[in-house]
Amino acid sequence: MDTLIIKDINNKTMQTAGEIIRGGGVVAFPTETVYGLGASAYDDAAVKKIYEAKGRPSDNPLIVHVADVCDVETVAREIPENAKKILESFAPGPFTIILKKKDGISDTVTAGLDTVGIRIPSHPVAREFIRACGVPIAAPSANLSGKPSPTRAEHVIHDMLGRIDAIICGGDASVGVESTIIDLTADVPTILRPGGITLEELKKVCTNVEVDRHVLEAVAAAEQPKCPGMKYKHYAPDADVTVVEGELSACEKKIKELVKREKEGGKTVGVLAAADADFGADLFISSGKDNREFARVLFDALRSFDENGIQTVLVQLSSNDEYSLAVKNRLYKSAGNKIIFV
Ligand code: TXA
Ligand code: MG
């Protein structure tokens, strides 16, 4: 399949993208979190193409994207008080609310669940694109299933060229990790996936907020997590990732040891850490000054290690702030829970 690459964002190109969607096609588009892979949430056959293009298991539901708060009621059966508060405080922005779904949203989108994830991205191109489509847009992250999510147009082109109808190029994602998913179908709002809106921010708006234990714990074989995506391998580059977590100097010491050992074993080694403490790695990438910056560079770094033929990646996790939970959640999963606490 020929994939149309849209680099100029204007009324005409957005109308073209909208026509592709209304014609049952699949279009990748930028958001402030990661790039999405969109199709009409009303079109079962189009949504199936998303699962095919990604190689995604069919029991893992998709998030439905709308351009404005007033469109939420076209997707959700009811909007509880907590949802109203969260929408008022943070929309448009990097969060997704899980609500009871309305009829008309394809069962393929929700993987047969009675609930639906709804997101209003703040990225101006995402909103322009959704408006041009004129329908709610079902969209997962625009990566091949299991791989790190795409934060740059180049990542989407790498994974999706020839597999989908069009890619809208809209620069680098400013948040860099996916939206915070908040389940609002029970009395206490529960974070199923940490992201761009933090637990601390949510607590200012809703008195009681919980974090699902699977955000940091691995899902056991027999368990059915609340967020179906949690049970699958995620964010994993080809390289073997290990997280080294703890106080800064202890982490640095441990990583130096591991780099030496891996290199002696004939492996090419990459390090992702706050500052290069002469690790002796083949490729060093800085994770930045805090976890907000870490989140922004994380997926791009994991992809860069693969592009440079790195076989072993060691990641330092030392600082704690509001964004730690999102960074940890992604890293634990990309490392398949191989974590060394020092
Ligand atoms: O930032 C984001 O949320 C990005 C951009 C493109 O908007 N999208 C995204 O979608 O990350 P995806 O499909 O890669 O991740 C969605 C996660 C999956 O783990 C899925 O299982 C979960 O959301 N999910 C979707 N609908 C759900 C529902 N009704 N109940 C519980 N979890 C749900
Ligand atoms: Mg994803």
Side-chain angles (χ1 to χ4, degrees):
M1 172 191 298
D2 278 345
T3 303
L4 173 70
I5 307 281
I6 300 175
K7 287 193 173 143
D8 281 336
I9 313 291
N10 56 48
N11 211 355
K12 191 159 168 279
T13 53
M14 288 304 97
Q15 286 310 321
T16 303
E19 277 162 27
I20 295 173
I21 291 289
R22 287 191 299 278
V26 175
V27 177
F29 62 100
T31 86
E32 71 279 19
T33 57
V34 301
Y35 275 74
L37 197 57
S40 165
Y42 295 142
D43 186 338
D44 217 55
V47 174
K48 283 193 176 124
K49 291 183 195 164
I50 294 180
Y51 285 89
E52 270 164 39
K54 273 183 73 88
R56 180 177 176 114
S58 59
D59 65 348
N60 192 3
L62 310 181
I63 292 170
V64 174
H65 297 65
V66 294
D68 294 284
V69 172
C70 60
D71 299 325
V72 171
E73 63 184 32
T74 62
V75 183
R77 206 151 64 221
E78 58 203 49
I79 306 177
E81 210 45 48
N82 275 326
K84 286 183 188 147
K85 285 194 215 163
I86 290 171
L87 287 167
E88 206 171 286
S89 305
F90 304 114
F95 68 96
T96 294
I97 48 178
I98 307 283
L99 299 176
K100 296 262 167 56
K101 81 158 187 164
K102 216 170 205 172
D103 293 343
I105 298 299
S106 143
D107 268 346
T108 313
V109 172
T110 59
L113 296 177
D114 185 38
T115 58
V116 60
I118 307 168
R119 165 152 151 69
I120 311 168
S122 63
H123 197 299
V125 177
R127 300 180 83 192
E128 221 179 307
F129 163 67
I130 299 165
R131 286 196 185 110
C133 295
V135 286
I137 296 296
S141 49
N143 52 285
L144 289 171
S145 198
K147 292 289 157 202
S149 301
T151 55
R152 314 173 62 170
E154 293 78 18
H155 300 162
V156 184
I157 292 170
H158 178 274
D159 282 15
M160 291 296 154
L161 195 71
R163 304 176 78 91
I164 58 173
D165 298 285
I167 298 172
I168 303 172
C169 304
D172 297 354
S174 58
V175 176
V177 290
E178 302 89 337
S179 60
T180 305
I181 300 182
I182 314 143
D183 183 3
L184 296 170
T185 59
D187 287 342
V188 181
T190 305
I191 293 181
L192 302 183
R193 179 178 71 184
I197 298 290
T198 65
L199 172 64
E200 287 74 7
E201 284 174 300
L202 286 169
K203 277 185 172 164
K204 284 185 196 145
V205 176
C206 308
T207 34
N208 217 345
V209 183
E210 283 175 4
V211 178
D212 190 274
R213 72 185 169 84
H214 287 127
V215 162
L216 294 181
E217 279 175 34
V219 179
E223 279 181 310
Q224 271 309 335
K226 276 197 205 143
C227 180
M230 284 171 171
K231 63 178 183 277
Y232 293 109
K233 186 175 148 196
H234 250 116
Y235 320 122
D238 296 333
D240 192 54
V241 179
T242 299
V243 172
V244 180
E245 182 171 341
E247 188 269 320
L248 191 80
S249 59
C251 280
E252 289 179 352
K253 185 164 170 267
K254 187 71 188 173
I255 291 175
K256 278 182 199 170
E257 257 173 58
L258 293 172
V259 169
K260 190 162 174 281
R261 196 187 74 192
E262 289 293 305
K263 287 186 91 165
E264 280 167 5
K267 294 278 169 57
T268 48
V269 188
V271 169
L272 177 58
D276 193 353
D278 286 329
F279 292 113
D282 297 300
L283 179 60
F284 167 80
I285 298 179
S286 169
S287 57
K289 65 176 190 311
D290 56 25
N291 284 306
R292 189 181 276 263
E293 221 168 288
F294 203 153
R296 196 179 305 137
V297 301
L298 176 57
F299 290 137
D300 185 50
L302 293 176
R303 283 174 177 263
S304 295
F305 288 124
D306 277 355
E307 271 159 33
N308 286 283
I310 298 295
Q311 294 163 299
T312 301
V313 172
L314 301 162
V315 187
Q316 179 206 339
L317 253 183
S318 293
S319 67
N320 264 313
D321 53 42
E322 274 190 43
Y323 263 79
S324 312
L325 195 62
V327 169
K328 263 187 204 178
N329 165 265
R330 304 312 189 279
L331 281 175
Y332 284 10
K333 292 198 191 306
S334 69
N337 283 78
K338 280 199 298 305
I339 311 153
I340 299 174
F341 294 97
V342 292

